Amino acid sequence: MAKITIHTPEEIEAMRRVGSEAADLLDFITPHVKAGVSTLALDELMLDYTVNVLKAKSACLGYNPGGNGIPYPRATCISVNNVICHGIPSEKKILKNGDIVNIDVTIEKDGFFGDNSRMFIIGKPTIAGKRLVDATWGCMWAGIEEVRPGKCFNDIGIACHNFVKPMGLSIVHEYGGHGIGRVFHGEPHVCHVPISTPTAKFEPGMIFTVEPMVNAGKRHIMDLNDGWTVVTKDRSLSAQWELEVVVTETGYDILTVSKGMPEPPTWVKGWKKPSFD
Ligand code: MF3
Ligand code: CO
Ligand code: CO
């Protein structure tokens, strides 16, 4: 098992600051996410806000892990309907009534990374779209609720899997959450399905994302030929939410919190959204 960073209290506070700014960026874009807008226009608004208001950098723009792929060409990922993740903002992609849209933003400031994503439904939700978006929100929280010292990363995958199983939805295997801090993608890789190899135990100071991708149809993925976009193989809808979690002495805390972040499901016991009044 590779080594997982234990963050100091000072580092955790720095991660809370950049995390809340990454969440503010999603609050900022929310009123603009509507029918008729292109995903590139949204991306340009978010890059401007990142640089000029947050005084931060996009961690996605030019991202090229390993150095042998195509550098990511835009500041954010915007994944619509059957796009699972890494949708590249485009002037040709115009949002329309009923679309389900994931906006995933990662910023870097003062040497720390903040990564989170939310779902948006354009105009009048379809029954299938709303059901998937809500189920994926619950799936993420079911995983997060497992986090406390003594439990292990596999407990997240078990809980996510058990949450969606009775609904006939499926969880993507190929992508998962990740450690985050002074690096964008660190150890461990967080699976949202159970795995048979041993996983690390949670320890206070670990910081990672929980970000399940849930498909309405089968779990299988397909890559488009742009080097980034991942779609469902069966063209079914896909949804994803992402938050950052820090392990505490007794449980967990969320680091990507803002006024506009939705309330957790009523059955969540380990965390309460702070008041922003
Ligand atoms: N934000 C994504 C994640 O949750 C990663 C996007 S990498 C990019 O880990 F290059 F596609 F932007
Ligand atoms: Co992300
Ligand atoms: Co992430």
Side-chain angles (χ1 to χ4, degrees):
M1 256 177 279
K3 212 167 152 41
I4 301 171
T5 301
I6 304 296
H7 296 86
T8 65
E10 293 71 28
E11 288 172 322
I12 293 168
E13 285 322 298
M15 284 297 284
R16 198 185 295 283
R17 279 194 295 278
V18 69
S20 72
E21 290 183 327
D24 288 342
L25 179 55
L26 293 175
D27 288 6
F28 157 75
I29 204 62
T30 299
H32 300 279
V33 186
K34 49 189 188 202
V37 75
S38 76
T39 58
L40 182 59
L42 296 176
D43 182 78
E44 286 173 342
L45 284 167
M46 289 188 281
L47 179 57
D48 178 70
Y49 190 89
T50 299
V51 173
N52 295 310
V53 179
L54 300 177
K55 313 285 182 201
K57 286 199 304 196
S58 161
C60 298
L61 188 59
Y63 186 57
N64 187 10
N68 43 20
I70 300 172
Y72 189 75
R74 297 291 175 194
T76 67
C77 298
I78 307 184
S79 304
V80 182
N81 293 337
N82 64 313
V83 178
I84 296 173
C85 65
H86 305 163
I88 301 174
S90 159
E91 63 186 349
K92 288 189 287 210
K93 186 69 201 172
I94 310 290
L95 299 181
K96 60 176 198 312
N97 199 35
D99 282 349
I100 65 166
V101 182
N102 174 273
I103 302 185
D104 190 340
V105 297
T106 310
I107 62 170
E108 181 188 357
K109 190 171 170 178
D110 303 328
F112 292 91
F113 289 84
D115 181 10
N116 66 162
S117 82
R118 289 184 201 154
M119 293 301 296
F120 300 84
I121 305 184
I122 308 305
K124 186 176 186 297
T126 64
I127 289 169
K130 173 138 178 48
R131 177 175 176 266
L132 180 65
V133 166
D134 291 349
T136 307
W137 177 246
C139 175
M140 178 190 67
W141 278 103
I144 292 172
E145 279 276 278
E146 295 299 306
V147 178
R148 77 181 74 109
K151 289 214 166 204
C152 68
F153 280 91
N154 199 34
D155 292 317
I156 293 177
I158 294 169
C160 289
H161 172 77
N162 287 341
F163 189 87
V164 305
K165 193 172 50 178
M167 304 181 190
L169 308 170
S170 53
I171 298 175
V172 169
H173 288 201
E174 290 84 349
Y175 293 90
H178 49 91
I180 185 165
R182 292 182 193 271
V183 295
F184 185 176
H185 290 118
E187 292 294 335
H189 174 76
V190 181
C191 280
H192 302 106
V193 291
I195 56 174
S196 53
T197 49
T199 58
K201 281 190 169 175
F202 300 121
E203 290 175 41
M206 290 179 173
I207 300 176
F208 52 88
T209 69
V210 179
E211 50 176 309
M213 300 166 190
V214 181
N215 298 348
K218 294 204 165 41
R219 69 172 181 84
H220 303 96
I221 71 171
M222 204 176 80
D223 294 319
L224 297 192
N225 60 12
D226 58 15
W228 285 97
T229 312
V230 182
V231 300
T232 55
K233 199 169 174 198
D234 63 8
R235 298 293 159 135
S236 66
L237 292 177
S238 186
Q240 179 183 27
W241 294 84
E242 175 176 28
L243 291 172
E244 282 178 26
V245 179
V246 59
V247 184
T248 64
E249 296 294 332
T250 54
Y252 67 89
D253 197 3
I254 305 294
L255 296 178
T256 43
V257 183
S258 67
K259 188 173 201 288
M261 153 193 190
E263 289 285 343
T266 50
W267 45 261
V268 165
K269 295 285 171 270
W271 191 80
K272 208 173 152 330
K273 188 181 167 188
S275 137
F276 281 82
D277 304 333

